[in-house]
Amino acid sequence: MMDKTSAVQLHHIVPVLWITYAAYYLGRVNISPVLQNIATDLSITQAQVGLLGTVFFGAYALGTLIVGELGTHVSPRWIVTIGLMVTIGMNLAFSLQTSLWVMLILWGINGFAQSTGWSPMLRIIAERFDVAETKRISTIMPFSYVVGTAVTWSLIGVLTANGQWRIAFFLPAIFLTGILIFWWLSGIDAPRSGATHFRMGDATSEIRLLWQVLLAAGLVGFIHAGSLLWLPSYVEDTTTISATLIGFAAAIMQVIALGGLFLAQQLVNRTGRVITTTAGLLIATSIALLVAILSAGTLALLFVTVALIVVNGAIGLVVSSVPIVLAGKGRTSSVTGLVNTLSSVGGGVAGFGLGWILDRSGWNPALMTWAMCALVASLLLFSKRRLEPTRAISTNTGKG
């Protein structure tokens, strides 16, 4: 593939990356609508079944750290291919299990495999397009995982309404096999890496410079991953929606939350400032959650949805635009891996932690925890706003 990217190539690369990453979520958030079913089938508590989320995000965090650096040196095409193959295998195996301990091992391996998508794909974007174009494209990519989540929840919610949760893992594995073929035939890859070996000094200097951003990513990951894991349960616990429609209702909330990504995209395009925009969205998230706590019934659900809308915009910028604008030359995959590692650590804490809070105190303390995390994260990000380059967003569709 040529080192320069034409407008025609742009129209090929971005859709393939977008579709492939959206499909990753078929084998990832498919567990959320059936957590209660698994807990009932295995006769375990919400905190215990929440360990599946903790193990997943813990393994994902380790994976993003390793794969992020690996993606700087190794072909993204091969990394994504291997990751999809492992996810397919783990979902098929998970559908056959009756032991929580075996499930934890399989879902942990799946978590590591899921880390093979984002960082290598952002490397392709960063190295195929110029700085202004990558900012614009990086605000498009987060739509992929929101759409992937909504489609998965809608499908799984309907198919598992009768309590037969195993189809939630068998069917996505079949779909992902088709995506694996689609990805390989696309031939998309990054230019051959000029980085010959790993240098610890690069990683440690990035951590020293960006520790506030990394900590903020962990807090935002706690909110976002917690919502992905527990939102269907929130709908079930706080509404009278029938079991058949719970997954669909949660999916509708995710579709509505696409508005947050549109909002983030427009704000970044208008101001050219990623860090300040993200901090502002997190403050709005905190306010919406606090209002939800003071409300009840439909009004509370409305403000939780508002919070979900805004935090989706924030997490989209945190895991895509933020690492792109702060990474040094040739280090996009590595910095993205670091940011996603901390985000995933937060998600791992959310798996068991939110289950523990829900078992003992209910949803209002959980929402308050999210609100405080959003507020602290906004302050941490705002403190690093001067590191961001302030070039205008390009309106071109490609270079060359």
Side-chain angles (χ1 to χ4, degrees), residues 250-284:
I252 290 296
M253 292 174 72
Q254 279 291 311
V255 171
I256 294 172
L258 282 170
L261 294 177
F262 281 112
L263 176 63
Q265 182 183 47
Q266 292 304 309
L267 289 173
V268 170
N269 287 344
R270 181 179 295 272
T271 66
R273 295 185 178 274
V274 170
I275 305 295
T276 304
T277 297
T278 309
L281 290 172
L282 288 169
I283 291 175

Side-chain angles (χ1 to χ4, degrees), residues 206-217 342 380 384:
E206 287 163 352
I207 292 172
R208 285 196 301 268
L209 180 64
L210 302 176
W211 70 265
Q212 295 98 327
V213 174
L214 298 176
L215 182 55
L342 270 294
L380 288 167
K384 307 303 288 185

Side-chain angles (χ1 to χ4, degrees), residues 227-251:
S227 71
L228 288 179
L229 192 64
W230 289 107
L231 185 60
S233 297
Y234 176 80
V235 175
E236 183 175 3
D237 292 343
T238 59
T239 70
T240 57
I241 295 174
S242 69
T244 305
L245 297 177
I246 286 172
F248 183 71

Side-chain angles (χ1 to χ4, degrees), residues 41-42 88-100 102-103 106 165-170:
D41 194 22
L42 274 58
I88 291 166
M90 291 307 101
N91 272 267
L92 285 174
F94 194 96
S95 70
L96 303 174
Q97 301 309 312
T98 58
S99 166
L100 176 61
V102 177
M103 288 177 174
L106 294 174
W165 56 266
R166 298 180 189 279
I167 192 69
F169 303 94
F170 177 79

Side-chain angles (χ1 to χ4, degrees), residues 24 27-28 30 56 59 67 78-95 105-117 169 172-174 176-177 180:
Y24 262 78
R28 176 173 176 169
N30 50 335
F56 177 92
V67 172
W78 275 104
I79 293 175
V80 172
T81 298
I82 294 170
L84 286 172
M85 291 173 66
V86 175
T87 284
I88 291 166
M90 291 307 101
N91 272 267
L92 285 174
F94 194 96
S95 70
I105 294 171
L106 294 174
W107 211 239
I109 296 172
N110 185 46
F112 193 97
Q114 285 282 319
S115 71
T116 60
F169 303 94
I174 302 303
L176 282 168
T177 301
L180 171 61

Side-chain angles (χ1 to χ4, degrees), residues 169-207:
F169 303 94
F170 177 79
L171 193 59
I174 302 303
F175 287 160
L176 282 168
T177 301
I179 292 297
L180 171 61
I181 296 170
F182 166 75
W183 165 257
W184 184 255
L185 293 178
S186 74
I188 291 175
D189 206 351
R192 186 178 297 274
S193 175
T196 57
H197 55 80
F198 169 70
R199 294 187 300 179
M200 182 61 71
D202 291 334
T204 55
S205 63
E206 287 163 352
I207 292 172

Side-chain angles (χ1 to χ4, degrees), residues 25-26 30 52 62 67-68 105 119 141 161 187-188 190 200 219 222 239-240 260 283 305 324 341 360 368 383:
Y25 274 61
L26 286 167
N30 50 335
L52 288 166
L62 177 63
V67 172
I105 294 171
S119 298
M141 284 298 294
I188 291 175
M200 182 61 71
L219 294 171
F222 178 84
T239 70
T240 57
I283 291 175
T305 304
I324 278 180
T341 294
R360 286 157 179 76
M368 176 62 75
S383 71

